[in-house]
């Protein structure tokens, strides 16, 4: 039986370098998407970047300077008020501080890039995609770019409001402000950008490669287990189950396979036991031996 190729785990130093690289690359992507999609089309889709767009349009302030002016005090406030939740991990705090400084720096360096589009709808969609891609990469390194995320954590700690509600409140205030400055239509574009960003972050976090999880109940449990191990080349977990009507013990097998292995799995099970009860569902993210290593 052919063994599956396994990636060697990263050493602690390699992992740290890898994670800081994620922070820098992700922050750069966010900054470039900001300059070529969001800023020229006045799409203030939440966060400190949205505030900087409003300040640029109303007062003419350089967006990078506005972002530094908000991000650095928010980081300091986070260190003082959040305490252990922010600096409990020195590495997390350091990566967040790097993202807090580096993102506005790239915004400043790339401020003269030509807009990719002057259509606000395209700007909202592709700006949201770019920001979501960049933030997703940063989040995969267990880090943050600071900004209103820290403000939301502070509000959450001292008011008891849910963290999701705090984030929604902060972004909602920015989008509502954009409605007064740029008009209601542009606030709707900002909501499109915000929605696109959220969905893209989820996609980057989970990935395209959905695996499948199968739950199998069979009278020929041992034969099915051996068939999966030898013919599908996947590990199997045996669970204890009981029939709801008979209350008799019914062994349950659980196996996770790639999408391209589902047909083979079903064929193996049905060949051994045509009466087997099989449930196949999506497994959004699978970590561990034989699957993705994070």
């Amino acid at each position: 039986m052919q063994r599956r190729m396994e990636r060697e785990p990263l050493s602690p130093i390699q992992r740290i370098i890898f994670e800081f690289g994620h922070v820098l690359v992700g922050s750069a992507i966010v900054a470039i998407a900001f300059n070529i999609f969001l800023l020229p089309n006045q799409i203030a889709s939440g966060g400190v970047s949205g505030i900087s767009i409003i300040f640029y349009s109303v007062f003419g302030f350089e967006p990078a300077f506005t972002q530094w002016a908000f991000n650095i005090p928010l980081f300091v406030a986070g260190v003082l008020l959040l305490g252990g939740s922010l600096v409990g991990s020195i590495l997390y705090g350091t990566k967040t501080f790097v993202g807090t400084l580096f993102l506005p720096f790239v915004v400043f360096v790339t401020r003269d890039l030509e807009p990719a589009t002057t259509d606000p709808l395209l700007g909202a969609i592709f700006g949201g995609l770019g920001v979501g891609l960049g933030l997703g990469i940063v989040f995969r390194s267990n880090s943050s770019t600071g900004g209103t995320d820290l403000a939301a954590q502070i509000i959450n700690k001292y008011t008891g409001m849910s963290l999701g509600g705090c984030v929604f409140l902060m972004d909602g205030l920015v989008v509502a402000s954009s409605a007064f400055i740029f008009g209601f239509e542009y606030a709707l574009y900002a909501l499109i950008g915000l929605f696109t960003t959220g969905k893209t972050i989820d996609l980057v976090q989970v990935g395209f490669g959905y695996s499948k999880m199968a739950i199998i109940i069979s009278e020929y449990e041992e034969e099915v287990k051996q068939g999966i191990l030898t013919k599908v080349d996947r590990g199997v977990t045996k669970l204890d189950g009981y029939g709801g009507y008979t209350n008799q013990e019914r062994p349950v097998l659980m196996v996770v396979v790639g999408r391209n292995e589902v047909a083979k799995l079903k064929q193996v099970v049905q060949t051994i036991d045509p009466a087997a009860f099989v449930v196949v569902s999506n497994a959004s993210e699978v970590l561990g031996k034989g699957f993705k290593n994070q």
Side-chain angles (χ1 to χ4, degrees), residues 29 32-34 36-38 116-117 119-133 192-193 196-197 200:
I29 293 173
I32 292 171
F34 172 86
I36 67 175
F37 289 115
L38 300 181
T117 179
D119 184 317
L121 178 58
L122 292 177
I125 294 173
F126 287 97
L129 284 170
V131 171
L133 173 62
I192 292 173
T196 306
T197 294
T200 306

Side-chain angles (χ1 to χ4, degrees), residues 11 85 90 95 97 115 156 178 217-218 222 245 250 263 272:
S11 69
S85 62
I90 296 177
K95 288 184 294 185
F97 186 63
N156 165 254
S178 75
I217 302 175
S218 171
E222 187 62 33
Y245 180 74
R250 299 285 300 274
I272 297 171

Side-chain angles (χ1 to χ4, degrees), residues 15-252:
R15 180 169 289 278
I16 290 173
I17 294 172
F18 189 68
E19 290 179 352
F20 272 99
H22 270 187
V23 173
L24 297 178
V25 171
S27 297
I29 293 173
V30 172
I32 292 171
F34 172 86
N35 273 334
I36 67 175
F37 289 115
L38 300 181
L39 180 61
N41 292 290
Q42 299 178 326
I43 309 298
S45 55
V48 170
S49 63
I51 296 172
S52 70
I53 292 173
I54 294 173
F55 276 38
Y56 176 74
S57 299
V58 175
F59 304 111
F61 294 165
E62 187 69 45
F65 296 156
T66 301
Q67 291 172 21
W68 274 319
F70 276 86
N71 281 340
I72 295 175
L74 281 172
F75 181 83
V76 173
V79 171
L80 296 176
L81 299 176
L82 296 176
S85 62
L86 181 62
V87 297
S89 167
I90 296 177
L91 182 60
Y92 172 78
T94 304
K95 288 184 294 185
T96 298
F97 186 63
V98 169
T100 295
L101 295 180
F102 188 69
L103 196 158
F105 172 75
V106 180
V107 168
F108 182 76
V109 170
T110 61
R111 67 191 184 280
D112 294 326
L113 289 177
E114 290 294 322
T117 179
T118 55
D119 184 317
L121 178 58
L122 292 177
I125 294 173
F126 287 97
L129 284 170
V131 171
L133 173 62
L135 289 179
I137 291 172
V138 172
F139 293 161
R140 283 180 70 92
S141 71
N142 187 31
S143 184
S144 168
T145 57
T148 52
D149 287 345
L150 292 178
Q153 291 180 47
I154 293 171
I155 295 173
N156 165 254
K157 179 176 180 178
Y158 289 97
T159 67
M161 184 185 301
S162 70
L163 186 59
C166 295
V167 173
F168 179 79
L169 173 64
M170 300 300 297
D171 288 336
L173 288 174
V174 175
V175 172
S177 300
S178 75
F180 287 101
I181 304 300
F182 305 125
F184 183 70
E185 188 175 274
Y186 278 83
L188 295 180
Y189 289 135
L191 287 175
I192 292 173
L194 192 59
F195 176 81
T196 306
T197 294
K199 290 298 181 182
T200 306
I201 289 173
D202 290 342
L203 187 61
V204 173
Q205 294 281 69
V206 173
F208 289 95
Y210 286 92
S211 299
K212 298 289 185 177
M213 181 179 70
I215 299 294
I216 304 165
I217 302 175
S218 171
E219 297 291 341
Y220 303 93
E221 162 259 328
E222 187 62 33
E223 292 86 345
V224 170
K225 182 176 69 175
Q226 291 301 320
I228 294 172
L229 289 171
T230 58
K231 297 180 181 179
V232 184
D233 192 18
R234 285 295 183 188
V236 184
T237 299
K238 182 179 177 180
L239 308 174
D240 292 329
Y242 296 87
Y245 180 74
T246 63
N247 204 35
Q248 293 180 348
E249 187 174 359
R250 299 285 300 274
V252 178

